[in-house]
Amino acid sequence: MKAIVLVAAAALIAAPAAAETVLITAERMVDVLTGRTVEKPAILVEDGRIRQIGTQGTLTITDGKRIDLPGLTLVPGFIDMHVHLTGDPRISPMDSLLKSDSYWPVLGAVQARKMLDTGFTTVRNVGSGNFDDIAIKQAIDDGWVTGPRIVPAGYALGATGGHCDETFFPPSFERTSRGVADGVDALRAKVREIRKYGAEVIKVCATGGVFSRNTEPGQQQLREEELKAIADEAHMWGVKVAAHAHGTSGIKAAIRAGIDTIEHASLIDDEGIKLAKERGAFLSMDIYNTDYTQSEGKKNGVLEDNLRKDREVADVQREGFRRANAAGVRMVFGSDAGVMPHDMAVNQFAVMTRFGMTPLQALRAATSTAAEALGREKDVGAIAVGRFADMVAVSGDPLASVDPLLGAKAVVKGGVLVTDRR
Ligand SMILES: [Zn+2]
């Protein structure tokens, strides 16, 4: 038995270790950095990264692999800045209590693959119990399972009784999330603890939320000095911070605290939009999932109080998105997949253009702008020399309409054709 395991491991390790050259060709390619379309591109990949970009005929290889995608348009692999891989809305809160603790990372690996198949070659997982997202990332990076690049947060930080605490249990259960801390010093220590075990971004809940109990989206739950302590500590360690913030005051406190990305931003006002622009904060607004929650939530066992909160922030968030985008705030694609099935996240592109974005703006939100928000411009977010060869092949013109982005025909991650739906 042991020998078989070792043989399997050796095969896995040998595959990516060999210096490998791949030539990728397609009908055209969108360069999101310039906004231009390149006809008949040929992309030379070495060891997973783009070495050279030319055109067919001028750039070719004598040996190595080829991935030819005739008739299709290449766009950079998508980045979803707000996902929860270790969940599924179709598992009711009651049913989730019947699962063993290690059920969730197994489920998460399946969800990760679904996101990859729809074009997401990088996802930022903003919160999971038991450091599950870090384990999934490790299993993908080691080649045991196929999935997107993951930027994991581990446990989300938050106040006692706040959105990121355990809020559905009676006192005798004594349930507190490991991410909970109160006060400046305790939160600083919590940043260090979560980072120690592999978090590559710190997620913090600055306000109440939709799917917790006894919290309201508009309610601020950490003081600005606490948010600032988290941001300063994380930045000292070279880690960025994502703040869940629906409420107007919590959004502004998080931006003033120096937090990098504001999640949801549902009740943002004009002052918040101005602050986000001045301070360079990115907004990650999940403006699609309410459609799913309102149509399927009741059937899935979501409580009426949670459905009510979702309704209350839905339309105002979409109008806030329109105003923030028009004001020139840097917008990134964040779906909150997990609240809806993961293979539906891609549908958010259509809502983003319905609420004011051009197709190029929506595509940039999920590629080059998201890469900036991650601080990973050298790795992901564009089909450009030096970056990973992560790309999605679609039919039609994604700069005329985002519809082609909703139906990826093929997905390439690190120069490997991981999904082929032609
Ligand atoms: Zn979320």
Side-chain angles (χ1 to χ4, degrees), residues 22-31 36-45 50 52-60 66-76 383-384 391-394:
V22 182
L23 190 74
I24 303 170
T25 67
E27 203 60 34
R28 59 193 78 74
M29 173 194 112
V30 176
D31 178 354
R36 286 202 209 100
T37 300
V38 177
E39 297 292 327
K40 302 275 180 194
I43 301 157
L44 183 67
V45 180
I50 298 169
Q52 210 181 327
I53 300 175
T55 52
Q56 290 160 43
T58 63
L59 183 59
T60 188
R66 291 183 66 102
I67 301 172
D68 294 307
L69 300 158
L72 298 176
T73 301
L74 293 173
V75 295
I383 302 173
M391 51 198 90
V392 183
V394 302

Side-chain angles (χ1 to χ4, degrees), residues 82-84 126 163 203 244 263-264 286 336-337 339:
H82 191 127
V83 307
H84 300 279
V126 282
H163 177 65
K203 163 82 179 294
H244 159 108
E263 310 301 306
H264 311 295
D286 54 327
D336 217 352
V339 161

Side-chain angles (χ1 to χ4, degrees), residues 357-370:
M357 277 188 169
T358 64
L360 180 60
Q361 284 177 322
L363 183 58
R364 281 175 171 161
T367 57
S368 52
T369 313

